[in-house]
C-alpha cells in the first residue's frame, strides 16, 4: 500500500463532502516581515502597532491577504494539487483580525462539481473557512478551480453549479472589533484622501510597476505552503513554465494600489475575482482601480469602499479590461472586486 498521496482528482470529489485540511499554522511576526519583503506594501494599519492602536485595535494585525494566503495554502493539497488553474472567488469575508501568535487551520466543503466537455478535467467549487486556535472563524470564501481527471472515462455525478452572490452586501461586512477612524492620522498614513473624496465610477491608475521574479514567487508560494504542482514543477504544464500563484498577483496589485488608495486601510470582503490570464516570471505588473460602490458602517469614522482592482502586464491599454468581444484583454491578469474600509 502506497504511503504517498498524489492529490485528489476531479472524480474523487462529492457534493457535500467536508475536508479538514492539514497542517495548522502558527503565524508570527516573521510572516509580516516576509510579506513586506515580497510585496511593496506600506499600509499603515499593518505596519505599525502604534498606528493600529490609534485606530482602536490592540496591535497591528497580520495583513489581511497574508491571512488569506495561509488559509488558502492549507486547502491546496486537498483541493488544487492537480489543478489546471484557479478560476475565481466569491462571497469572501474577513471575519476577525489575525495577530502574531494565532494558529490557523482550514476546512472546505464541496458545494459544486461540473465536468468539462473534453472529459479531461472538471470544475470543483468549494467553500473554505479559516479558524483560529479558539475555533473562531477568521475568514471564509468560495472558490472554483479546474482539476484534472485521473481517468477521462471515469463516470461522474450530474453537474451541480452553486448559485453565488455577485457581491457581499454592505450590511454583512464584519469590521474588526473596536475599529475607530475618528483619530486617523492622514500624515502618517501617507495620503490625505478620505472616503468622501472617492466617487462611484472613478478610475485610478496606480502608476507604479513591479517585475515578477522567479525566485520571489517561489519563496512566496513556499511561505504559504501552497503545494500546487503548476507553481513548482516545470513539467506540470505543456509549455514547461511555472505558473505564478494567483494570490501572489493579488498581493502585488494590492500593494501597488497604495499609490492612490493608501487609506483603503483593510480588506473586509472579496466579492468576486478572476485570474483572467496566466502570469509568468518576467512579467511586469501594473494596476488600476475603479470605485464601484460606497457604504456607511456603524464604526466611528469608518466608511466602506467597493473597489475593482485590475492587474495587467506592462503594455496593456491604460485602464482597459475587456475587448469588443467581451472577453478579457490578453494582458489582463487579475480582476478583483472587494470591499475595503476607509476613514471618513
Amino acid at each position: 500500500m502506497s504511503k504517498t498521496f498524489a492529490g485528489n482528482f476531479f472524480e474523487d470529489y462529492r457534493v457535500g463532502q467536508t475536508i479538514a485540511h492539514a497542517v495548522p499554522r502558527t503565524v508570527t511576526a516573521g510572516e509580516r516581515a516576509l510579506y513586506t519583503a515580497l510585496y511593496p506594501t506600506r499600509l499603515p494599519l499593518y505596519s505599525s502597532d502604534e498606528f493600529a492602536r490609534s485606530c482602536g485595535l490592540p496591535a497591528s494585525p497580520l495583513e489581511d491577504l497574508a491571512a488569506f494566503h495561509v488559509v488558502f495554502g492549507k486547502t491546496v493539497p486537498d483541493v488544487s494539487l492537480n489543478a489546471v488553474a484557479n478560476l475565481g472567488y466569491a462571497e469572501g469575508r474577513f471575519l476577525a483580525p489575525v495577530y502574531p501568535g494565532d494558529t490557523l487551520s482550514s476546512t472546505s466543503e464541496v458545494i459544486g462539481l461540473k465536468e468539462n466537455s473534453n472529459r479531461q478535467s472538471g470544475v470543483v467549487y468549494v467553500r473554505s473557512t479559516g479558524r483560529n486556535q479558539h475555533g473562531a472563524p477568521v475568514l471564509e470564501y468560495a472558490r472554483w478551480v479546474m482539476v484534472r481527471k485521473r481517468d477521462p472515462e471515469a463516470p461522474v455525478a450530474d453537474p451541480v453549479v452553486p448559485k453565488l452572490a455577485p457581491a457581499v452586501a454592505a450590511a454583512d461586512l464584519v469590521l474588526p472589533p473596536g475599529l475607530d477612524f475618528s483619530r486617523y492620522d492622514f500624515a502618517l498614513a501617507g495620503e490625505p484622501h478620505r472616503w468622501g473624496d472617492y466617487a462611484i465610477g472613478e478610475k485610478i491608475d496606480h502608476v507604479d510597476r513591479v517585475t515578477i521574479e522567479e525566485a520571489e514567487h517561489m519563496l512566496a508560494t513556499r511561505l504559504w505552503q501552497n503545494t500546487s504542482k503548476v507553481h513548482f514543477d516545470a513539467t506540470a504544464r505543456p509549455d514547461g513554465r511555472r505558473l505564478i500563484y494567483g494570490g501572489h498577483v493579488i498581493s502585488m496589485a494590492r500593494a501597488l494600489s497604495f499609490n492612490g488608495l493608501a487609506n483603503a486601510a483593510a480588506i473586509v470582503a472579496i466579492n468576486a475575482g478572476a485570474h483572467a490570464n496566466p502570469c509568468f516570471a518576467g512579467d511586469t505588473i501594473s494596476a488600476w482601480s475603479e470605485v464601484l460602490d460606497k457604504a456607511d458602517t456603524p464604526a466611528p469614522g469608518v466608511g466602506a469602499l467597493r473597489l475593482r482592482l485590475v492587474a495587467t502586464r506592462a503594455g496593456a491599454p491604460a485602464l482597459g479590461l475587456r475587448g469588443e468581444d467581451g472577453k478579457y484583454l490578453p494582458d489582463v491578469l487579475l480582476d478583483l472586486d472587494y470591499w475595503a474600509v476607509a476613514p471618513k
Side-chain angles (χ1 to χ4, degrees), residues 46-63:
Y46 301 111
S47 298
S48 165
D49 284 341
E50 292 305 315
F51 192 96
R53 290 187 187 107
S54 74
C55 295
L57 303 184
S60 179
L62 197 68
E63 190 138 354

Side-chain angles (χ1 to χ4, degrees), residues 179-292:
L179 189 69
D180 183 346
F181 283 166
S182 58
R183 296 187 297 121
Y184 192 90
D185 192 321
F186 290 88
L188 291 181
E191 285 184 353
H193 313 305
R194 298 173 179 267
W195 176 81
D197 295 329
Y198 294 94
I200 295 173
E202 178 181 0
K203 292 184 177 181
I204 304 161
D205 185 345
H206 298 301
V207 181
D208 302 318
R209 295 179 175 183
V210 172
T211 300
I212 299 292
E213 302 290 348
E214 195 82 78
E216 291 175 350
H217 103 82
M218 293 292 288
L219 175 61
T221 312
R222 290 188 181 113
L223 174 64
W224 313 126
Q225 297 178 328
N226 183 332
T227 56
S228 183
K229 297 172 185 177
V230 293
H231 302 319
F232 293 100
D233 184 351
T235 69
R237 288 173 50 90
D239 60 8
R241 306 179 75 183
R242 287 176 289 195
L243 186 68
I244 303 298
Y245 164 46
H248 191 65
V249 178
I250 293 174
S251 280
M252 196 66 76
R254 165 71 166 154
L256 291 174
S257 74
F258 180 91
N259 193 343
L261 281 169
N263 295 321
I267 295 177
V268 290
I270 294 175
N271 299 305
H275 298 292
N277 288 287
C279 179
F280 299 100
D283 287 344
T284 296
I285 292 181
S286 56
W288 59 270
S289 293
E290 179 183 3
V291 181
L292 299 177

